[in-house]
Structure formats: structure tokens, C-alpha cells
């Protein structure tokens, strides 16, 4: 029986971006189904002991930049460690991704990857509706329909509900991949996820 993976992520997380393409390929390779679940880390951190980047100790902030550059080079994934539009508000982009998920998982995953690239490799403002419309169009999606759907109150409510769901399931960082009740936190744990899916 194929596995099911709940994919909790923050669209503004560089680690989500660095792991995204590998995760999608891994799920496809093993025939796993995926539920795309963007969450608000700003709500997750206060209840899980995490700190927003600006409040972390200087040595932790400095090492994060080293690790991002290290992983970018290792994976061959382009990434600006200090992009022009960061910190970014990812709430609107998350609602666009949830709107895309109503069309299908493949569409939501494609848009997630494209939004991550826009922020971390292309110096684009993902908090801007016009930018999101352009990104959606590049993914072959109907930007006008997605914009209207993303702006609906129930989409914001779904985003909030997924954030609470993540907290209830013990998620504390992004990305987190959940199979059954087992959490795999971080794109550097995809090897463990692969082993799980191979069982």
C-alpha cells in the first residue's frame, strides 16, 4: 500500500525551498500521495520554543547563512542567502497555494516550488498579488481564478486551521513531512523519509 505524506511547510522558509524539488521527486518515485499544508510559522514558534529569525542569537543567525550557502552549493539549487524581499509575509502566497490545491496536488506542488524560487532565487516579492499572479501564470494556472479564490475568507480560515493542525500534531519547524504519526523535520531528513517510504 502506498504511503500518504502530510507536507507541512512555511512558504517563506529557505529550507522548504531547498528540499521541495527533492521531496516532490521522492513522493513520486514511491507513489506516495501528498497533502499540501502550508502553515504560519509565526504562530507555530511561540508554542514550540522556536524564535523568529530576528530574535535569534547572532551566532545562530550567522551560522544559518553559512548552512544555507553550503546546502545551496551541495544540492546545486540557486539561492540568495539574503534575498531582496526577506523577511517576507507568506500569508497571501499560502492562500494561493491552497487555492491551487483545489485544482490538484500537482498544481499546488508546482506553485509551491515556483513561489520558493521567486523569493529565494529570483528576487521577487511574493507578498505582492501581481507577482503571485505572474508566478501562477508561469505555472500554467489561471491567475485570475486563483486570485479570487485565494482572497475568499474560507481560504484564510483553512490556512489558520492547518496551522493549528500542525501545532496539534507536534510540528515545530518547516518543512515537516508526516507519515502516519511519524514526523520528519527538515529537508536534511529526506533520506530518512525515503527509507520510510521504501518499507
Amino acid at each position: 500500500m502506498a504511503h500518504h505524506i502530510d507536507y507541512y511547510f512555511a512558504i517563506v522558509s529557505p529550507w522548504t525551498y531547498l528540499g521541495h524539488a527533492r521531496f516532490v521527486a521522492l513522493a513520486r518515485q514511491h507513489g506516495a500521495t501528498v497533502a499540501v499544508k502550508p502553515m504560519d510559522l509565526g504562530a507555530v514558534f511561540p508554542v514550540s520554543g522556536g524564535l523568529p529569525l530576528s530574535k535569534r542569537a547572532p551566532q545562530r543567525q550567522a551560522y544559518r547563512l553559512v548552512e544555507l550557502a553550503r546546502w545551496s552549493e551541495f544540492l546545486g539549487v540557486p539561492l540568495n542567502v539574503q534575498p531582496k524581499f526577506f523577511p517576507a509575509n507568506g500569508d497571501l502566497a499560502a492562500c494561493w497555494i491552497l487555492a491551487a490545491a483545489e485544482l490538484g496536488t500537482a498544481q499546488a506542488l508546482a506553485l509551491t516550488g515556483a513561489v520558493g524560487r521567486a523569493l529565494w532565487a529570483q528576487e521577487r516579492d511574493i507578498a505582492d498579488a501581481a507577482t503571485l499572479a505572474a508566478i501562477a501564470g508561469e505555472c500554467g494556472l489561471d491567475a485570475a481564478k486563483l486570485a479570487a479564490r485565494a482572497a475568499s475568507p474560507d481560504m484564510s480560515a483553512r490556512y489558520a486551521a492547518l496551522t493549528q493542525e500542525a501545532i496539534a500534531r507536534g510540528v515545530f519547524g518547516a518543512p515537516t513531512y508526516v507519515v502516519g504519526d511519524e514526523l520528519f523535520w527538515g529537508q536534511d531528513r529526506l533520506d530518512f523519509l525515503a527509507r520510510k517510504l521504501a518499507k
Side-chain angles (χ1 to χ4, degrees):
M1 189 178 78
H3 286 286
H4 174 79
I5 309 164
D6 286 321
Y7 178 28
Y8 295 99
F9 61 90
I11 194 60
V12 299
S13 161
W15 307 109
T16 294
Y17 163 66
L18 284 170
H20 182 75
R22 282 152 55 234
F23 167 66
V24 171
L26 187 62
R28 188 177 295 132
Q29 177 191 339
H30 290 280
T33 57
V34 176
V36 177
K37 299 189 171 186
M39 60 177 179
D40 178 7
L41 273 184
V44 172
F45 279 159
V47 295
S48 65
L51 286 175
L53 185 59
S54 62
K55 294 186 178 176
R56 293 177 200 165
Q59 57 268 50
R60 285 180 179 267
Q61 292 194 39
Y63 187 71
R64 171 182 169 278
L65 298 178
V66 171
E67 277 279 87
L68 286 174
R70 190 178 280 157
W71 275 101
S72 171
E73 181 181 6
F74 174 68
L75 296 171
V77 175
L79 178 139
N80 300 318
V81 297
Q82 294 179 300
K84 181 177 179 182
F85 295 101
F86 187 82
N89 185 317
D91 295 349
L92 183 59
C95 289
W96 277 70
I97 289 164
L98 289 172
E102 294 184 340
L103 303 173
T105 301
Q107 290 90 330
L109 289 171
L111 186 58
T112 299
V115 171
R117 266 192 312 279
L119 173 59
W120 291 103
Q122 298 170 346
E123 304 288 34
R124 296 163 83 180
D125 181 5
I126 65 158
D128 175 65
T131 300
L132 289 171
I135 295 167
E138 290 158 18
C139 292
L141 300 170
D142 186 327
K145 283 186 179 176
L146 280 187
R149 192 71 190 98
S152 64
D154 61 318
M155 211 49 74
S156 295
R158 171 132 179 82
Y159 179 44
L162 286 174
T163 299
Q164 290 306 310
E165 177 186 298
I167 291 168
R169 296 187 73 184
V171 172
F172 56 88
T176 296
Y177 320 99
V178 184
V179 179
D181 292 324
E182 189 171 354
L183 274 64
F184 300 83
W185 170 52
Q187 59 88 33
D188 54 344
R189 293 297 180 268
L190 281 170
D191 287 348
F192 284 101
L193 178 61
R195 286 190 277 275
K196 176 75 173 183
L197 296 178
K199 288 181 181 175

